Amino acid sequence: MPGPWTALRRGARRLGKPKPSDLGSGAVTGLFSIPEGMAYASIAGFNPVAGLYAGVVPAIVGSLTSRTVLMVTTLTSAIALTSQSVLSEAGLDPRDAGNVALLTVMVGAVMLLMGALRLGAVMSFVSNAVMTGFSTGIALQIIAGVLKDATGYKPHGHNKLHQLGDWLWHIGDWQLAATLTALATIAVWALARAVKRLRPVALLIAMVAVTAGVVLFGTDVESVKDIASIPAALPSFTAPDFSAVPDLAWGTVSVALVALAQAAGIAPSMPNPDGTRSDINGDFRSQGYANLAGGLFQALPSGGSMSRTGVAVSAGARTRWAGIVSGVFLALVVLLCGSLAERIPMPVIGGLILVVGGELIRGKRHDILLVFRTSWMSAGAMVLTFLATTQLPLQQAIVLGAVLSLLLYCAQSARQAKLVALVRRDSGRWETAEPPKALTPGTVTVLDYAGSSFFAELPRIETQLPATDEARGAVLILAVRTLPDVPSSAMLGLLDRYANALADRGGRLVLCGVHPSLVRLLERSGVAARLGDGGIVPAATDLFGPLDTALDDARRWASAHSPEQPRPPGSPRRPA
């Protein structure tokens, strides 16, 4: 695994010259990070400044080291909410800089370890149904988290759904000035978004225009300076509070998984313009480096942001320079214009986040409908994950989602496993058919196995195997090209039992298309000896060659051992 300095040097060598569009894209993305970063931090109970700083060092380091060229690494809503949940469960103050630094550094270490162990494949086991439920629940959390900022009324309730209902019920308690400011923000965003060229900066336009209006008319609403001051300085070094390591050990894994799961969807959506291939494990390591560095400079945990990457691409990003410029530009804005950012009204941020949350839900509507139309199991997993995300601490919801994904995978694997009969016609062509219910004396039956040898699927496979009651002189050829090199012990046991049952009735089992590693395993386990000479036909480059060979040999054996052929006295019942 390359070290951080090696990764940075490689990234620097791949930089090349920035294109003009990268500079403009970086500036737009950096400015966009002001309202979005501050809002995500504030709805999770963090210092809004930490949300700003998450767009500086992590964005620069992530863009230098990422294998997905255009990915922007920064704070996301899901990461912010999960981080707050983890700190709260551990009894730690989310506004304490030492706690935040430790959490971010530990998240980076977990990401780096997962990348080193090449665990990127784990992300493919998180089902779309679970991710859809989780993402929709996060969107609702985002909306519920800014209801007070947007309307001045803080809803009550033990979960987000209850809070949303309480907020709607008490519409008469909304503050007029805050509500009108939030509505004006949404209206300006909608007007700007209606102009195609302004869509990438619609949120930024809404923030600047409505903020200017609030200042001009002297509207009495809460602003950023009432929550936290933005120092006109670059993020300074902050030492982690290592005394809290035991309290955060498991929680950091949850934060890392949320971040990595979100980032895993960026590479397929944003292919590298330079033609190079993305690498999910390389992206894991890149996000690890970004958090290790960002945690020491006041940043919240970060990961690949689909929304920020989308803004960068829409604004013209073509190389890594876009992400780097976004971090540098944001740092300059904070350094030179921090006092101006303090004047942003909280209802403006609330309105912007209502837009972001609404857009997230709107963007998931097709996935939600697709899941409902797929199967009742997928729909159930999605609904349960959604409810868990709105009712439970997020790290618990993540664990539940992982368990549901595993159960869905097991259920789908068991349901998809099957046996298909293959019939060779006189013309030499092979055709598929339904497996017979039973083997008939002196016949040869060919079945093709399609499955993963997962133990949960074996009862289904066993019921599809033909009965052996009248199998004297019968041969069953089982094509196992798709069988894994190391199948489950339950699969080996099934093969051994069936070979035994068939041999006891004067028939035999032949395995066809067996890969070399599986041949060795069958020999070590004793199944090869049970099958006897010719009971294993190795795989070959010719797809149907082994099958033709096995069929011809089986027909000769069946002819010699059919019921019409008298068995010599004292001859064994088991086939040679």
Side-chain angles (χ1 to χ4, degrees), residues 93-223:
D93 184 2
R95 289 182 174 265
D96 183 274
N99 293 336
V100 172
L102 177 64
L103 177 65
T104 307
V105 168
M106 289 180 67
V107 168
V110 171
M111 291 174 163
L112 202 57
L113 179 62
M114 292 185 70
L117 296 177
R118 306 193 64 80
L119 295 180
V122 172
M123 292 296 106
S124 63
F125 287 92
V126 180
S127 74
N128 178 63
V130 167
M131 282 304 300
T132 300
F134 183 74
S135 300
T136 308
I138 287 292
L140 183 64
Q141 289 238 31
I142 292 171
I143 291 172
V146 295
L147 296 178
K148 177 183 180 298
D149 293 330
T151 62
Y153 173 75
K154 183 178 181 179
H156 303 282
H158 64 282
N159 61 65
K160 300 305 179 184
L161 289 173
H162 191 183
Q163 290 173 16
L164 184 61
D166 180 76
W167 176 73
L168 292 171
W169 183 257
H170 290 86
I171 190 172
D173 295 329
W174 297 1
Q175 294 178 9
L176 183 61
T179 304
L180 290 178
T181 301
L183 290 175
T185 303
I186 296 172
V188 173
W189 166 83
L191 291 173
R193 194 176 184 278
V195 181
K196 187 174 181 180
R197 295 177 62 87
L198 298 180
R199 284 180 185 175
V201 292
L203 287 173
L204 184 63
I205 291 173
M207 180 189 70
V208 173
V210 180
T211 297
V214 168
V215 173
L216 180 64
F217 292 105
T219 307
D220 183 19
V221 292
E222 190 178 39
S223 64

Side-chain angles (χ1 to χ4, degrees), residues 17 68 76 151 163 183 330 406 415 439 443 449 469 484 489 559:
K17 294 182 179 180
T68 300
T76 70
T151 62
Q163 290 173 16
L183 290 175
L330 177 60
L406 179 60
R415 291 174 60 187
L439 298 178
T443 60
Y449 165 76
D469 298 334
S489 59
S559 178

